[in-house]
Amino acid sequence: MTVRMFMGDARVDAIAPDDRGLAYGESLFETMRIHRGDIPWWDAHMARLTHGTQRLAMPLPDATRMYAEAMALLDGADGVLKLQLTRGGGVRGYAANSDAAPFWMLSMHPLPNRIDSLDTIWCEITLASQPRLAGLKHGNRLEQILAANEVRAANADEGLMCDGAGRVIAATSANFFALIDGHWQTPVLDACGVAGVMREWVLAQVDAHVTSLKPSDVECADAVFLCNAVRGILPVQRLGARAWPRTHPEIRALQAALAQSHPGFEPLLEAS
């Protein structure tokens, strides 16, 4: 893994011991697919990061500087770029130090293993409701970690998570769409969940209903897929005892449109 770290405008060699992202999870992050040293959806990720800093009243480093440092790090490679941003250092205690310079870190990672469809489970761990944080990709991911442990124990690929009221929200690391009665539907994220960049792209392509969904709604769907900005669009082949065909024409059409929009997903479409 190749890493570059910064405190404000200055490059640093390590994260500070009093960093608030480390101490309290006061942080945001973006995970971006890299194609031949380029970041095709950089603007979309920066828009979400900017929205997150506004919601949390966190400082945002200069976007031009972040982009230049990211491009220097990539050096023509394919892979995954992770950008982590914290408020920076501060005194002990929950109250934030408004004068601290933000800490940000860029790290380069290999692409995940190729997978064409997903074997999924229902996770027992639920997502807590907090409307002030709903939609944000913040650094507090303990619920997803517990859910991922369930997925690993079941030898599955992914797990679907509900909130405390029993509404389906998302997978552990992806957003969720279901084809029900001829219409794509995706969960409303007004109390929890991450509003993914890939989710926003899909919503711009199809006339999807953003609504509340129960597990029984999902199990009766004609097709289901998960999506994120690293793996793209992946059909769900199995959810517990429910099975679907490996491919569906509407999912295939969305994958083809994605390959046109983001060159990093062209090889995936050709191989499927």
Side-chain angles (χ1 to χ4, degrees), residues 19-50:
D19 184 87
R20 293 183 62 82
L22 178 64
Y24 305 118
E26 192 176 8
S27 64
L28 297 162
F29 67 101
E30 294 291 329
T31 312
M32 296 165 265
R33 190 181 179 100
I34 307 309
H35 179 67
R36 297 178 181 175
D38 191 21
I39 315 170
W41 284 358
W42 172 265
D43 289 344
H45 285 282
M46 286 304 100
R48 182 172 62 175
L49 184 67
T50 300

Side-chain angles (χ1 to χ4, degrees), residues 168-236:
V168 183
I169 301 298
T172 67
S173 59
N175 288 117
F176 164 83
F177 285 79
L179 186 63
I180 301 173
D181 295 331
H183 295 282
W184 286 109
Q185 302 192 26
T186 193
V188 61
L189 305 178
D190 58 352
C192 55
V194 175
V197 166
M198 182 65 73
R199 175 181 183 267
E200 293 305 307
W201 181 88
V202 173
L203 287 172
Q205 309 306 308
V206 299
D207 185 21
H209 298 164
V210 180
T211 186
S212 294
L213 293 170
K214 303 184 297 295
S216 58
D217 298 326
V218 177
E219 292 170 350
C220 293
D222 297 320
V224 174
F225 71 82
L226 305 184
C227 63
N228 66 29
V230 171
R231 290 187 179 272
I233 294 170
L234 290 176
V236 173

Side-chain angles (χ1 to χ4, degrees), residues 3-270:
V3 180
R4 292 187 180 187
M5 293 179 281
F6 304 85
M7 185 68 72
D9 292 329
R11 188 166 177 179
V12 296
D13 295 326
I15 187 170
D18 63 352
D19 184 87
R20 293 183 62 82
L22 178 64
Y24 305 118
E26 192 176 8
S27 64
L28 297 162
F29 67 101
E30 294 291 329
T31 312
M32 296 165 265
R33 190 181 179 100
I34 307 309
H35 179 67
R36 297 178 181 175
D38 191 21
I39 315 170
W41 284 358
W42 172 265
D43 289 344
H45 285 282
M46 286 304 100
R48 182 172 62 175
L49 184 67
T50 300
H51 175 69
T53 59
Q54 292 169 348
R55 290 265 299 274
L56 297 180
M58 283 174 53
L60 178 68
D62 179 70
T64 302
R65 172 70 185 282
M66 288 193 292
Y67 181 75
E69 293 291 349
M71 295 302 291
L73 180 67
L74 302 182
D75 193 27
D78 289 339
V80 176
L81 176 70
K82 185 172 184 179
L83 167 59
Q84 294 171 265
L85 171 67
T86 82
R87 186 179 292 276
V91 297
R92 190 188 67 80
Y94 292 140
N97 178 4
S98 60
D99 297 328
F103 172 83
W104 51 288
M105 179 170 68
L106 297 163
S107 56
M108 184 70 177
H109 307 263
L111 288 170
N113 292 334
R114 166 75 181 148
I115 188 169
D116 298 321
S117 59
L118 298 167
D119 183 359
T120 64
I121 64 168
W122 289 109
C123 293
E124 292 185 9
I125 182 73
T126 59
L127 293 165
S129 295
Q130 177 45 265
R132 292 287 295 272
L133 299 178
L136 301 184
K137 196 164 186 178
H138 56 74
N140 296 268
R141 297 288 132 197
L142 287 176
E143 294 162 334
Q144 286 79 7
I145 290 170
L146 292 174
N149 289 341
E150 291 185 49
V151 172
R152 184 182 298 110
N155 197 30
D157 300 311
E158 251 291 6
L160 293 187
M161 304 180 69
C162 297
D163 64 9
R167 303 184 304 169
V168 183
I169 301 298
T172 67
S173 59
N175 288 117
F176 164 83
F177 285 79
L179 186 63
I180 301 173
D181 295 331
H183 295 282
W184 286 109
Q185 302 192 26
T186 193
V188 61
L189 305 178
D190 58 352
C192 55
V194 175
V197 166
M198 182 65 73
R199 175 181 183 267
E200 293 305 307
W201 181 88
V202 173
L203 287 172
Q205 309 306 308
V206 299
D207 185 21
H209 298 164
V210 180
T211 186
S212 294
L213 293 170
K214 303 184 297 295
S216 58
D217 298 326
V218 177
E219 292 170 350
C220 293
D222 297 320
V224 174
F225 71 82
L226 305 184
C227 63
N228 66 29
V230 171
R231 290 187 179 272
I233 294 170
L234 290 176
V236 173
Q237 189 171 6
R238 185 175 297 278
L239 174 58
R242 177 69 161 95
W244 290 271
R246 183 172 173 272
T247 61
H248 187 281
E250 291 204 33
I251 297 179
R252 181 72 175 177
L254 275 172
Q255 289 175 319
L258 175 59
Q260 292 292 320
S261 177
H262 190 308
F265 294 105
E266 290 175 358
L268 297 184
L269 181 64
E270 294 167 1

